[in-house]
Amino acid sequence: MSAHHTHSAHGDDHAHGHHGHEDHGSHGSLKDYTLGFILSVILTAIPFWLVMAKVIPDSKTMGIVLLVFAAIQIVVHMIYFLHMNFKSEGGWSMLALIFTTLLVVIMLAGSLWVMHHMNHNMMPGMNHETKPESINLAPAKDGQNSRNLP
């Protein structure tokens, strides 16, 4: 070995026991985990009750309410179980999450917009209602059905 590789294979100069946790946000306590668990149970039980008891009859409104509960539960999991906040890793993990969320929202909204307007954008001159204007099914004067085709 050269002169700069004189340390032992498991020397203390690399701080192998720390695993890089010195600048991260603190891990949750039992109180934090319990609060996160209780919030998760509540945020699961309320939507379950809303669906099973058919409290909201309109399906679109029910879908929006369920999506709101799901979004709140995602935030609860990120805070209480994944320990994501603006303090951990100098705020970079939260910044990466915000950027990823923004990209996903842009891609989903753009995809939905394109799919919603696809028929209109691809065939702007076509009328999508089927009206057989060229076929006249008026009865003939002599009592027989006849078709007046152009």
Side-chain angles (χ1 to χ4, degrees):
M1 284 184 155
S2 65
H4 63 280
H5 288 99
T6 58
H7 63 279
S8 64
H10 296 287
D12 293 332
D13 56 342
H14 289 288
H16 288 290
H18 294 284
H19 297 292
H21 290 290
E22 55 274 345
D23 65 337
H24 296 281
S26 64
H27 291 285
S29 64
L30 180 62
K31 179 182 172 184
D32 289 336
Y33 284 119
T34 305
L35 180 61
F37 177 73
I38 291 170
L39 287 173
S40 296
V41 168
I42 291 170
L43 290 171
T44 301
I46 291 173
F48 182 79
W49 171 74
L50 289 174
V51 170
M52 295 307 290
K54 297 180 181 173
V55 175
I56 302 172
D58 184 39
S59 63
K60 287 184 182 181
T61 306
M62 178 64 82
I64 292 171
V65 168
L66 293 177
L67 285 175
V68 168
F69 273 103
I72 293 170
Q73 193 165 44
I74 288 171
V75 171
V76 166
H77 281 256
M78 287 189 321
I79 291 171
Y80 289 100
F81 301 121
L82 297 177
H83 311 294
M84 292 185 72
N85 55 28
F86 288 105
K87 296 177 191 173
S88 66
E89 297 181 17
W92 285 107
S93 63
M94 190 61 73
L95 187 63
L97 175 71
I98 291 169
F99 180 71
T100 303
T101 304
L102 180 66
L103 283 179
V104 167
V105 167
I106 289 171
M107 287 190 307
L108 285 176
S111 297
L112 291 174
W113 181 75
V114 166
M115 287 188 287
H116 179 71
H117 296 289
M118 187 169 54
N119 286 337
H120 182 273
N121 291 338
M122 296 298 286
M123 304 289 256
M126 297 294 293
N127 187 0
H128 295 289
E129 296 179 21
T130 307
K131 292 182 182 178
E133 296 173 1
S134 62
I135 300 175
N136 187 1
L137 295 177
K141 292 182 181 179
D142 60 348
Q144 297 177 357
N145 286 337
S146 66
R147 292 186 179 182
N148 298 330
L149 298 176

